[in-house]
Amino acid sequence: MRHLLSTRHLSRDEAVAILDVAEDMADVSTREIKKLPALRGKTVVNLFFEDSTRTRISFEAAAKRLSADVINFAAKGSSVSKGESLKDTAQTLAAIGADAVVVRHGASGAPQVLATSGWIDAGVVNAGDGTHEHPTQALLDAFTIRRRFFGADARGRDLAGLSVVIVGDVLHSRVARSNAWLLTTLGAEVRLVAPPTLLPVGVETWPVTIDYSLDSALATPTDVVMMLRVQAERMSAAFFPTAREYARLWGLDDERLARLDEGTIVMHPGPMNRGLEISSGAADSARSTVLEQVSNGVSVRMAVLYLLLSGEREDLA
Amino acid sequence: MPERVVLQQADIARALTRISHEILESNRGADGIVLLGIPTRGVLLGRRIAATMSQIAAVPVPHGSLDVTMYRDDLSRGRIRTPSPTQIPPGGIDGAVVVLVDDVLYSGRTIRAALDALGDLGRPRAVRLAALVDRGHRELPIRPDFVGKNLPSSQHERINVRLTEVDGDEYVSIVSPEGDPA
Amino acid sequence: MSESIVVKGARLLGGGATDLLVRDGVIAEMGSGLSEGGARVIDAAGLIALPGLVDLHTHLREPGFEQSETVLTGSRAAAAGGFTAVHAMANTSPVADTAGVVEQVASLGDAAGYVTVRPVGAVTVGLNGEALAEIGAMARSRAAVRVFSDDGKCVSDPLLMRRALEYVKAFDGVIAQHAQEPRLTEGAQMNEGIVSSELGLAGWPAVAEEAIIARDVLLAEHVGSRVHICHLSTAGSVEVVRWAKSRGIAVTAEVTPHHLLLDEELVRSYDARYKVNPPLRRAEDVQALRAGLADGTIDIVATDHAPHPAEDKDCEWSGAAFGMVGLETALSVVQASVVDSGHLDWADVARVFSRIPAEIGRLSGYERGIAVGAEANFTLYDDTASRVIEKGDLRGKSTNSPYLSLTLPGRVVTTVHSGRATVLDGELVDPDVLRSVGGPRG
């Protein structure tokens, strides 16, 4: 794997291979010495144009468990705000000798520009770009689902036969996009539930089904309910009238939680708006995988960094 | 490519039985022994040796697998290597006599990686090494304690170990490249 | 002192080969076997003689953004593309909203000498969409402005648009509207649809263009004014203009070469060279624009040549500037998109890229095309050539072209502006030579 920019173009086999390696990485996390020497001498740069402490420390932990050297680079601004440009930053990192760049950027496509520009030769991992994709989040979600439903038999399996309902601000969510592609590639059936204002024009061509009503979506048994974070500023832009109305219609409250099947799990990429898209009861219930998602994130990111940085450089898709 | 079979299925069985006896003899019984095979075929050989030892000593012999992929010194070369699971028996390895089992002992680099991997998993009382075939050409100061067969070979040749569980048939052969006099 | 030129054996539109004798800035004779002592002889065997191209929509960037383009460098790019006149858009700094700025731009154009530079005046002060600019002063200035546009921004206030449409009638002017409903396109990055949904780029919906066009043709009808629509980009816009024309509304419309050739799939690369406003649309829109140009719904082709320095394109998509250069490649792109596909013949090209844009801009000298007694503005074009576009083919200051490393048909061999050669054998004539031959104009 040369770069990981999106899940859109990952094949089923590639995705399963990443999840399988992540299983091995997860085993390491249970040992007393949680460290492997695999990436000794490699330099991983966490290049964050947007603040995201959660994602950054997850990548940092992953790189360190593989013995890579980690440099955290919190870049201020972009060429929009006349801060340092992506190009200058990339060339600086190339000069430092970065082997992999984990990039978080507010602009959709920025990691792809970095990977194809020729400014830097390093492998690029997209750690969230604008409203485009967040591929490692989708991989850790898929990993979490697979472990929850298949346990020790997870290796080598995809998600065929499972159904996933993704609820919330799909329009602005890179997590929703990456999950829609990845989970369907892995054979899961995906339903998106959102107010029509928070679904992108063109979503009807995605390999998913759409429901405007959470109650009607939950009337059909589902294995996974994934709640997306809703940002309060969407309210002022008239995407929905009030937080209260949103919570009432599209929030996973205690009453809806009680209606879920026994085996249904509840996921959230974090950080959660308790009381808005998810109630505390749902967030803290035994169905909730929120904390597992965090620890699985490290395993999945270890797998991605390992696959990106071991072996000879080759240009795979 | 010319291929010459050097061990038949029966030869392999005999070699493993002999190794089982030797391990028990040198350890004065099965006490404290943990067999760890190195994937892929070392795991299968370790399982067979453990079974034989259990029969002889009439006690269960713990066995598992030790993946060394992440500890290799050539990870940035060649293709991407996919790791295999490491499975340590429930009792762990602290204070145990770990016998590493591999199919072919060659440069010794795999065993070096295995020793590093072991160090991250616990602190065995002693570590021994069993190999079905020792083909020489060591690049590190490593030697086996238990060997099925010494097989002097040219570095151009390849040792091909096939085991029923994964290959469908079972033998050990030497494959020489075309036109190589060996 | 004006040079004489004899062009040998050029192919006329819809006719056979002819010689052209150019003397004193006009086409003096046409026929075979023409010669004149001391004249420059140009062998045009096999080349098409097209009337000089007139661009109704060019960004020359001067004054204010000289790092992107100047009147001189943009004029050179235009001549290299076969143009003899360009209309310089008003979004400079300062904005061309006073007689002083438009006169400055016009005289810079005269000094450069490669093409006639016709300044476009702003509709509103500072392009701010709040108060009418001094349209009368600009119209009566030496620059004699006839086209007014806030291009880059839409005159979105309906009342202001109505007043502008009414007011320019006093000066035989026209409002060229950049049709973009601002609220519907806040933060817009690309065409809104399937591709934007996948790429996570904020959408620029077709309706934001179509709604403004619909409003403005109705306003034009109501007040009895003519209105010109810049860079139509959607199938729906073609429908609206077709409907308006069927009602007899005095609307004219333009399409850019890039909207005739390229579609939104290119944005998947996140390569900012494809970032343009209005955005590249769907393949169906491209087909509708070609058909609209062929059936006369769309009147003209205009380049919307929009130079930007490298740093404004060498970055992430949303940080990049909108726009692409297009003067040098315009004719080749038109050939590739609508001539080679059979939508237009070369006589149509002369109409949509010379006669009608001159008419809309009230620029004289282009009414009869290539004819005896007409001003000598023409270009000799090799439609059998084929070339890979390289940076060296771009003669302006900026290289933000979406066609780099693409193979395009055709090549401008010679351009003659007001009787003087500005391009010979594909190479720009040296500016000093140009001035010594023609003497200062105006």
Side-chain angles (χ1 to χ4, degrees), chain B residues 41-116:
Chain B
R41 289 176 183 74
V43 179
L44 304 173
L45 297 174
R47 185 184 302 159
R48 293 192 199 176
I49 293 170
T52 310
M53 286 172 63
S54 303
Q55 257 176 10
I56 301 166
V59 287
V61 174
H63 61 94
S65 62
L66 178 68
D67 184 57
V68 305
T69 310
M70 295 287 152
Y71 296 83
R72 297 179 67 102
D73 58 9
D74 58 355
L75 276 178
S76 5
R77 276 172 237 159
R79 66 192 168 76
I80 295 170
R81 291 176 174 82
T82 314
S84 305
T86 287
Q87 274 157 340
I88 303 298
I93 57 167
D94 282 346
V97 176
V98 170
V99 181
L100 296 174
V101 184
D102 202 359
D103 52 355
V104 178
L105 180 59
Y106 185 25
S107 68
R109 287 177 190 270
T110 301
I111 304 306
R112 197 276 311 154
L115 292 171
D116 285 353

Side-chain angles (χ1 to χ4, degrees), chain A residues 132-266:
Chain A
H132 176 223
E133 286 223 28
H134 193 353
T136 58
Q137 176 71 43
L139 285 162
L140 76 88
D141 289 340
F143 183 81
T144 304
I145 296 170
R146 200 176 72 155
R147 278 207 146 183
R148 271 277 184 141
F149 286 92
F150 305 124
D153 297 330
R155 267 174 223 275
R157 294 190 72 148
D158 59 21
L159 303 179
L162 295 177
S163 62
V164 181
V165 173
I166 301 176
V167 188
D169 183 0
V170 176
L171 178 62
H172 300 98
S173 175
R174 48 195 172 211
V175 176
R177 279 178 183 74
S178 286
N179 266 310
W181 308 128
L182 181 67
L183 299 181
T184 52
T185 296
L186 288 171
E189 184 204 313
V190 174
R191 269 177 294 165
L192 302 180
V193 178
T197 47
L198 291 176
L199 287 166
V201 168
V203 73
E204 63 282 357
T205 61
W206 294 10
V208 300
T209 53
I210 308 289
D211 204 328
Y212 300 142
S213 160
L214 179 55
D215 287 319
S216 101
L218 294 184
T220 317
T222 183
D223 299 303
V224 180
V225 178
M226 185 185 293
M227 304 307 295
L228 300 172
R229 180 178 167 77
V230 171
Q231 276 158 352
E233 65 256 32
R234 304 296 175 217
M235 238 173 2
S236 51
F239 288 101
F240 51 87
T242 60
R244 201 174 53 182
E245 174 152 322
Y246 183 90
R248 200 160 49 212
L249 294 175
W250 290 282
L252 185 61
D253 55 18
D254 294 347
E255 191 271 319
R256 291 192 175 103
L257 181 74
R259 273 190 274 144
L260 297 179
D261 275 3
E262 201 172 324
T264 302
I265 62 170
V266 173

Side-chain angles (χ1 to χ4, degrees), chain C residues 83-107:
Chain C
F83 291 86
T84 54
V86 300
H87 289 73
M89 276 298 169
N91 60 341
T92 49
S93 178
V95 169
D97 57 2
T98 61
V101 178
V102 292
E103 288 191 351
Q104 183 202 355
V105 171
S107 56

Side-chain angles (χ1 to χ4, degrees), chain B residues 110-142:
Chain B
T110 301
I111 304 306
R112 197 276 311 154
L115 292 171
D116 285 353
L118 268 188
D120 283 354
L121 290 167
R123 188 176 181 284
R125 181 158 56 86
V127 182
R128 313 276 183 231
L129 173 59
L132 178 60
V133 171
D134 181 357
R135 62 172 296 193
H137 304 292
R138 211 79 74 240
E139 293 165 6
L140 295 171
I142 281 168

Side-chain angles (χ1 to χ4, degrees), chain A residues 29-49:
Chain A
S29 316
T30 64
R31 304 188 335 201
E32 198 175 309
I33 297 176
K34 299 178 180 58
K35 202 167 174 100
L36 294 168
L39 299 185
R40 226 168 15 179
K42 303 281 188 188
T43 301
V44 174
V45 176
N46 288 322
L47 174 59
F48 278 57
F49 287 85

